Amino acid sequence: MRSVKFIFFLGLVFSLPILTTAQTNSLPHLERKGDVTRLLVNGKPFLMLGGELHNSSMGNVDYMRPIWKRMADANLNTVIASASWELVEPQEGKYDFMLVDSMILGARKAGLKLIVLWFASWKNGKSTYTPAWVKQDPKRFPLAKDEQGNNLEVLSTLSTNARDADARAFAALMKHIRQIDQREQTVVMVQVENEIGTMGTKRDFSAPANTAFQGPVPAELMRYLEKNKSIIHPGVLDTWQKQGLKKSGTWEEVFGKGVRYDNWKELSYLTEELFMVWHYAQYVGIIAAAGKAEYNLPMYVNAWLKQPGRFGHAPGNYPSGGPTPHMIDVWRAGAPAIDFIAPDIYATSEWRYVCDTYTQSKNPLFIPEARSNSATVARSFFTFGNYVTNLFAPFGIDGNDDNQAATAADLLELKDAYATLGQLTPLIIQHQGTKNMTGLMVDQNTKSDSVTIGGYMIKGRLGRRFGGGELAGFDIFGSAPGSSGSQPPPEQAGGAIIIATAPGEFIIAGKNMSIDFAAPNPSASSKVGILLLEKGIVKESTWVPQLRLNGDELRITLAADKSKIFKVVLYNY
Ligand code: DGJ
């Protein structure tokens, strides 16, 4: 696999001159202005139109060779790809960065930016990406136990040996990335671990964990909660309040005995979850800090969500200790080196709820994983319009046999959507965090949506309409025409981004939606008409009309198969 060309490349990058302070100051970083936090790359906001590769894709250079270009051809500007501990440090203290180098070179040659995933102590609530020398030495690297005392294939957070070994490997990785990439800055961010937490138990029941659970809530966490009482998550505050807002005590004295609730949005076994999150945050915070000391890139953790459906909704059904939105305070207190927490959105019916909960208390929105399908693609327009979104990335973007991977058709749809969002990017950046940009989203459960912007009400309905104004398409009435009804119909969603560019003037883009206009407070004397409607493109922030629509065609229909951009000017009569 190690080609001559590749070794030549390594020779080149290692001979780069040492960078000046001015250059290091312009490393990719997060900038917060008021309530708006954005990723800056080369000093400018960078909107990531991304996709995450499948978990094992980075394990083979030949497999990846054609993929990089395919990603760039699909209009992605950022790819999320993994480096796993077991491949980086197969023998303790002996690092192999060949795959990391090939990943950075592959992305760079294709003109893509990279987010590197560090699959190490935990991935998806288990410890399957650790090197064999960790797996085979549970004495040195102890495992978590369930309530019955059974070992889980999950490292215990109470092990400083595992934490320090992980931190050493991560620091070596970040040092290496700095050495080969600081000048080009292909790598713009790093995810530390993946969907961390412990699956299969509400908390770790190993002996050290039991002792810690019977012991006091750490003073550091108590101080943080005291200081931030006015802004901490209402569910956490409520639980703490019910116990009398104690300033110290054991976990159960301060937060009460954990309870299981039927409603998935309630905080089942909150006390156990708080305990787990604190220990995960402490562990991961030390790893992230060790990495940042070598190369100070933005770092985040991603979440397997608490969600309705088949997985269940109590900690342990989803990884207990992960960055669920009600745990943001604990992550902030325990892991200051982690810059934000990010949701992986597979529970697409809860899209809006998830984005709302992850943007509360000023956590910036980055979506590193989402289900790869047509509905997700439609939702990208809403998401960039309605939130200050820095990253959007469907999962399994290189496609393979996995049922979560993108099909060729999904990739074509994403290519089309990213072409449109790419055109809109300067406008999106210009309007982020203002009242002049918003979004609409509909799906098979909620078929209409409306917003008030720039003095008008803009309504969206799922699907396209016939000439007479009727909504058409199987999507709003149930199963597809001609379908047998035995298969569940594919998920349907429509999405639009709306930007107010001047009084009464809007740019509207998206998919699978019909748009109508009204006055915010309709009355006989305040009707809204369309004065001008054009279909077109945006080139370097400037509107380029391609078709003037008038008379019978004065309506905005965003097709299901291809995204479109319209400019509309409204008037009142
Ligand atoms: C979520 C994980 O974070 C990903 O790494 C991947 O395993 C997907 N699930 C698969 O659906």
Side-chain angles (χ1 to χ4, degrees):
M1 252 189 260
R2 218 184 270 252
S3 70
V4 173
K5 209 166 149 196
F6 188 62
I7 290 170
F8 175 62
F9 157 72
L10 288 186
L12 266 182
V13 288
F14 281 119
S15 63
L16 290 175
I18 304 293
L19 293 172
T20 63
T21 321
Q23 282 167 311
T24 53
N25 283 346
S26 69
L27 287 182
H29 64 280
L30 298 178
E31 181 196 67
R32 178 145 155 197
K33 279 196 182 152
D35 287 352
V36 176
T37 300
R38 299 196 285 201
L39 174 72
L40 264 55
V41 175
N42 296 322
K44 294 195 190 107
F46 182 57
L47 214 66
M48 290 182 280
L49 303 177
E52 181 164 325
L53 297 175
H54 226 286
N55 296 317
S56 299
S57 304
M58 280 319 309
N60 188 295
V61 176
D62 294 329
Y63 168 80
M64 276 308 297
R65 203 160 278 132
I67 304 272
W68 298 111
K69 182 168 178 312
R70 202 180 302 156
M71 297 297 105
D73 288 348
N75 298 318
L76 276 77
N77 59 21
T78 306
V79 166
I80 308 178
S82 64
S84 69
W85 189 7
E86 70 175 333
L87 299 182
V88 161
E89 195 183 5
Q91 285 177 53
E92 189 167 6
K94 295 215 163 102
Y95 299 108
D96 180 350
F97 293 117
M98 192 270 283
L99 292 171
V100 174
D101 293 337
S102 80
M103 156 166 96
I104 294 175
L105 176 61
R108 190 184 290 165
K109 268 174 76 179
L112 295 161
K113 294 294 183 191
L114 260 185
I115 297 174
V116 173
L117 309 177
W118 175 234
F119 288 178
S121 292
W122 302 281
K123 178 179 186 298
N124 299 25
K126 296 183 91 182
S127 300
T128 48
Y129 284 80
T130 53
W133 53 268
V134 173
K135 287 194 182 87
Q136 290 173 324
D137 194 352
K139 236 189 157 113
R140 184 172 162 213
F141 304 110
L143 298 174
K145 288 184 191 291
D146 67 15
E147 206 160 357
Q148 288 71 43
N150 302 310
N151 275 344
L152 298 165
E153 202 184 9
V154 184
L155 284 172
S156 171
T157 52
L158 278 294
S159 162
T160 50
N161 283 345
R163 181 196 71 194
D164 295 345
D166 188 334
R168 273 193 299 276
F170 185 59
L173 172 72
M174 292 309 294
K175 179 176 175 189
H176 182 79
I177 294 176
R178 170 171 55 76
Q179 286 172 335
I180 67 162
D181 194 51
Q182 187 171 12
R183 172 181 283 256
E184 297 271 357
Q185 298 180 7
T186 299
V187 180
V188 293
M189 279 199 329
V190 178
Q191 178 187 295
V192 190
E193 317 288 340
N194 187 88
E195 292 193 351
I196 55 182
T198 302
M199 279 303 272
T201 179
K202 55 183 180 272
R203 76 164 171 88
D204 182 357
F205 285 87
S206 64
N210 288 340
T211 307
F213 191 68
Q214 303 315 327
V217 176
E220 222 176 321
L221 176 58
M222 289 304 339
R223 269 198 302 275
Y224 179 94
L225 295 176
E226 265 299 316
K227 194 166 159 214
N228 295 285
K229 216 182 274 168
S230 61
I231 54 160
I232 61 175
H233 189 277
V236 174
L237 182 63
D238 187 51
T239 308
W240 182 26
Q241 234 154 13
K242 281 188 183 134
Q243 292 298 115
L245 290 177
K246 291 197 180 72
K247 293 195 172 146
S248 63
T250 66
W251 290 86
E252 289 191 337
E253 282 165 359
V254 175
F255 300 110
K257 268 199 176 313
V259 178
R260 193 194 156 95
Y261 298 100
D262 289 336
N263 181 338
W264 74 270
K265 285 184 183 166
E266 297 280 352
L267 304 180
S268 290
Y269 299 127
L270 184 64
T271 306
E272 285 81 356
E273 193 175 9
L274 283 163
F275 169 81
M276 292 295 278
V277 173
W278 174 256
H279 287 94
Y280 270 99
Q282 289 264 291
Y283 187 118
V284 172
I286 284 174
I287 294 170
K292 281 191 167 182
E294 291 295 346
Y295 191 29
N296 191 9
L297 291 185
M299 293 190 188
Y300 70 97
V301 284
N302 66 327
W304 176 325
L305 297 178
K306 177 181 176 69
Q307 57 197 276
R310 68 188 170 106
F311 286 112
H313 57 261
N317 297 137
Y318 62 89
S320 179
T324 45
H326 50 289
M327 290 294 156
I328 178 83
D329 303 299
V330 189
W331 276 96
R332 283 180 177 152
I338 292 294
D339 296 297
F340 60 90
I341 64 173
D344 293 348
I345 315 185
Y346 292 88
T348 46
S349 59
E350 302 300 328
W351 194 278
R352 194 185 290 262
Y353 173 79
V354 172
C355 293
D356 286 348
T357 52
Y358 272 85
T359 47
Q360 69 198 353
S361 83
K362 302 189 172 82
N363 182 59
L365 188 62
F366 290 76
I367 303 176
E369 287 184 48
R371 199 178 287 286
S372 271
N373 64 17
S374 175
T376 300
V377 170
R379 287 186 167 107
S380 66
F381 292 95
F382 161 77
T383 310
F384 279 110
N386 201 49
Y387 305 94
V388 180
T389 306
N390 287 281
L391 163 70
F392 191 90
F395 176 77
I397 204 69
D398 46 325
N400 64 16
D401 291 341
D402 187 293
N403 63 1
Q404 298 280 26
T407 63
D410 294 334
L411 193 60
L412 277 179
E413 283 208 44
L414 194 65
K415 175 179 178 168
D416 164 63
Y418 280 181
T420 298
L421 286 164
Q423 290 175 43
L424 293 174
T425 290
L427 285 179
I428 296 175
I429 287 174
Q430 185 190 337
H431 291 90
Q432 275 177 328
T434 73
K435 286 194 172 71
N436 294 329
M437 184 165 72
T438 186
L440 291 170
M441 182 175 62
V442 289
D443 61 21
Q444 66 266 42
N445 302 317
T446 308
K447 290 177 186 133
S448 67
D449 187 17
S450 63
V451 288
T452 299
I453 175 171
Y456 291 93
M457 177 182 276
I458 305 187
K459 299 193 229 175
R461 288 185 290 170
L462 182 68
R464 79 193 160 77
R465 85 185 98 201
F466 290 121
E470 298 276 317
L471 282 179
F474 56 85
D475 41 6
I476 63 163
F477 298 117
S479 56
S483 77
S484 66
S486 58
Q487 289 282 335
E491 190 187 4
Q492 295 286 319
I497 178 168
I498 301 168
I499 305 173
T501 41
E505 180 186 295
F506 301 90
I507 297 284
I508 300 181
K511 287 190 73 172
N512 203 15
M513 195 182 267
S514 324
I515 305 284
D516 288 299
F517 304 95
N521 303 304
S523 73
S525 58
S526 70
K527 299 256 179 62
V528 175
I530 294 178
L531 204 55
L532 171 95
L533 182 63
E534 291 168 339
K535 199 151 72 128
I537 58 170
V538 177
K539 222 174 173 181
E540 285 150 22
S541 304
T542 306
W543 175 246
V544 182
Q546 291 182 321
L547 190 64
R548 168 85 190 252
L549 297 154
N550 45 14
D552 293 351
E553 315 298 331
L554 278 181
R555 56 175 170 261
I556 295 184
T557 299
L558 301 165
D561 57 343
K562 191 158 171 38
S563 60
K564 289 183 195 163
I565 315 180
F566 289 91
K567 173 176 152 181
V568 62
V569 179
L570 304 176
Y571 76 107
N572 295 87
Y573 63 92

